[in-house]
Amino acid sequence: MLPLPSEQQLGPRPFYLVDTMKDGALKTQLSACTGPFRKSNFSIAHRGAPLQLPEHSRESYLAAARMGAGVIECDVTFTRDRQLVCRHSQCDLHTTTNILSKPDLATKCTQPFSPADPATGKKASAKCCTSDITLAEFKTLTAKMDAADTSATNVADYQNGTPRWRTDLYASPGTLMTHAESIALIKSLGAKFTPELKAPEVPMPFDGDYSQEKYATQMLDEYRAAGIPAADVFPQSFDLNDIKFWLRTAPDFGAQAVYLDGRYAAPSFDHLRSETWTPSMPELKAAGLRILAPPIYMLLTLDSSGRIVPSHYARAAREAGLDLITWSLERDGPLTKGGGFFHRSIKPAIDREGDTMTVLDVLAKDVGVRGVFSDWPATTTFYASCTGLR
């Protein structure tokens, strides 16, 4: 493994983003920034560096560290023999690995490949889960860019669905990682850890007695076994019960647990109306939570003049004494048409790639987030270095 540079190597993307910004004080400031660029805990690697490399692969983690990510994510799920591995979803192997091209393993998938039928409009589909296979079988797979062509009538075409704004140029080979392997690698890279306990897609307890509590405990036990200080680990979950469990049973880890706020999916939830927030911000704080992590759009809104400003949700979280982390920068694809899910509350103000930097600036300076997940950590490292963030 090549040693990490003492100054991070960011490549051309951050400078491209600055070049495409609207003229103004922020563009002037960032245009004058030539380094040095340093590793920053503000820069959180979302699944590694999946804008160009297969997510949660060894290669993606290495790239993230070389781009200065101070914190690197492993989404944690389990295999049929209860071993922990890094995957964004328990059931994403059909879009993130080559499992469908391996007949002996493809037949073990929860839902084997079914081709599209143009005559009826039926889309191609499959569902392959880590819990369908053993760790030894998982280790025979290779990672690929997360994508599928649902119009495909064969496996090869189904697996060849990477969006044009991503790339397959660096996708082979992609080395899959166990959770323990990710810990050893990230430790060697001098970064901190943010594992996410993924929601099981199989009934729990699994295989008789593998409960949610055992799963949540096993994840933290692998950091203890590796000698990682709890202060260097930011365990995440979308399930508030997981956070409360860690606070009760592992308070050293629970102290910096991150509640990923997925309440946006509930029809009754409105991030602009506090009466729809259950629990409330003060109730989250009283439960022992310190770090709240919503998607970017929930922290931002537009004022009467069309400027991007902190949302009511963002202000209420800070007033309750909660720290904020947000996700996921550079995941919407091109911003020339306003972006997608992550920019949906500010779409009218987004019309160019350089708006990535404007959004980042509001999140850092006005909202006051402590870190930002990005699919390309060079961008957040660049911003942190140029504005004096650590």
Side-chain angles (χ1 to χ4, degrees):
M1 182 172 65
L2 294 174
L4 287 173
S6 57
E7 294 183 11
Q8 304 308 138
Q9 305 301 304
L10 304 187
R13 179 168 173 78
F15 304 94
Y16 160 74
L17 294 176
V18 172
D19 288 344
T20 57
M21 290 177 67
K22 301 177 182 75
D23 290 338
L26 179 61
K27 180 175 183 178
T28 299
Q29 177 190 0
L30 297 181
S31 295
C33 182
T34 58
F37 303 110
R38 302 291 186 185
K39 180 175 68 178
S40 172
N41 291 338
F42 179 81
S43 180
I44 306 174
H46 182 237
R47 315 183 199 178
L51 186 65
Q52 292 192 14
L53 295 100
E55 62 186 44
H56 293 310
S57 66
R58 182 178 185 274
E59 295 76 13
S60 195
Y61 291 153
L62 285 170
R66 287 168 177 154
M67 288 188 279
V71 185
I72 298 176
E73 179 185 47
C74 167
D75 290 326
V76 180
T77 189
F78 55 86
T79 60
R80 193 177 73 198
D81 48 351
R82 306 181 184 184
Q83 300 302 302
L84 301 184
V85 296
C86 298
R87 287 290 88 201
H88 178 250
S89 166
Q90 186 172 42
C91 297
D92 71 4
L93 296 182
H94 52 290
T95 63
T96 66
T97 77
N98 66 336
I99 191 170
L100 292 177
S101 64
K102 299 175 75 71
D104 56 327
L105 296 183
T107 59
K108 298 185 178 185
C109 290
T110 295
Q111 178 191 329
F113 174 71
S114 175
D117 184 347
T120 64
K122 172 181 170 291
K123 293 183 178 181
S125 62
K127 185 178 183 180
C128 302
C129 307
T130 56
S131 52
D132 291 333
I133 59 176
T134 66
L135 177 61
E137 291 168 331
F138 176 85
K139 293 291 286 182
T140 68
L141 303 176
T142 57
K144 74 176 194 69
M145 297 297 282
D146 182 15
D149 180 354
T150 58
S151 68
T153 57
N154 59 72
V155 164
D157 288 345
Y158 180 78
Q159 293 186 309
N160 187 26
T162 304
R164 291 180 63 187
W165 53 270
R166 292 183 183 266
T167 180
D168 288 315
L169 186 61
Y170 311 107
S172 181
T175 308
L176 296 183
M177 302 288 287
T178 68
H179 180 229
E181 288 171 340
S182 80
I183 293 171
L185 177 61
I186 293 167
K187 178 181 179 181
S188 75
L189 297 172
K192 296 182 180 182
F193 311 81
T194 186
E196 181 189 335
L197 193 76
K198 300 304 298 188
E201 295 189 39
V202 293
M204 298 293 275
F206 175 72
D207 193 28
D209 66 345
Y210 189 57
S211 66
Q212 182 72 16
E213 292 76 16
K214 287 183 178 180
Y215 172 37
T217 299
Q218 182 184 2
M219 187 180 85
L220 298 187
D221 280 346
E222 294 201 345
Y223 290 93
R224 295 187 180 102
I228 305 299
D232 288 347
V233 184
F234 298 86
Q236 312 169 67
S237 179
F238 277 99
D239 188 340
L240 189 57
N241 290 323
D242 291 334
I243 307 295
K244 292 178 178 179
F245 176 75
W246 289 326
L247 285 165
R248 289 195 312 271
T249 63
D252 51 344
F253 286 93
Q256 56 274 342
V258 179
Y259 174 40
L260 299 163
D261 195 346
R263 292 178 291 176
Y264 59 82
S268 61
F269 182 84
D270 183 342
H271 76 288
L272 299 177
R273 296 172 54 230
S274 54
E275 65 270 21
T276 70
W277 309 342
T278 304
S280 67
M281 297 298 183
E283 287 170 338
L284 288 173
K285 181 67 174 179
L289 182 71
R290 297 186 184 180
I291 307 174
L292 181 62
I296 289 169
Y297 88 85
M298 285 170 57
L299 295 177
L300 303 176
T301 190
L302 300 177
D303 67 12
S304 58
S305 64
R307 287 189 314 119
I308 302 171
V309 296
S311 67
H312 174 46
Y313 175 103
R315 295 194 305 271
R318 296 308 305 273
E319 288 169 3
L322 294 168
D323 284 352
L324 291 168
I325 289 173
T326 193
W327 45 277
S328 297
L329 203 70
E330 299 174 280
R331 191 154 188 86
D332 270 354
L335 299 188
T336 53
K337 295 183 180 179
F341 172 82
F342 296 103
H343 295 83
R344 69 186 199 180
S345 62
I346 54 171
K347 246 177 141 56
I350 303 296
D351 63 9
R352 64 192 69 201
E353 291 299 282
D355 288 332
T356 297
M357 288 297 186
T358 303
V359 168
L360 193 52
D361 192 58
V362 175
L363 290 169
K365 292 180 180 176
D366 299 332
V367 175
V369 299
R370 62 183 286 170
V372 176
F373 281 92
S374 175
D375 278 20
W376 198 245
T379 300
T380 40
T381 299
F382 172 88
Y383 177 86
S385 293
C386 295
T387 58
L389 295 174
R390 294 293 182 184

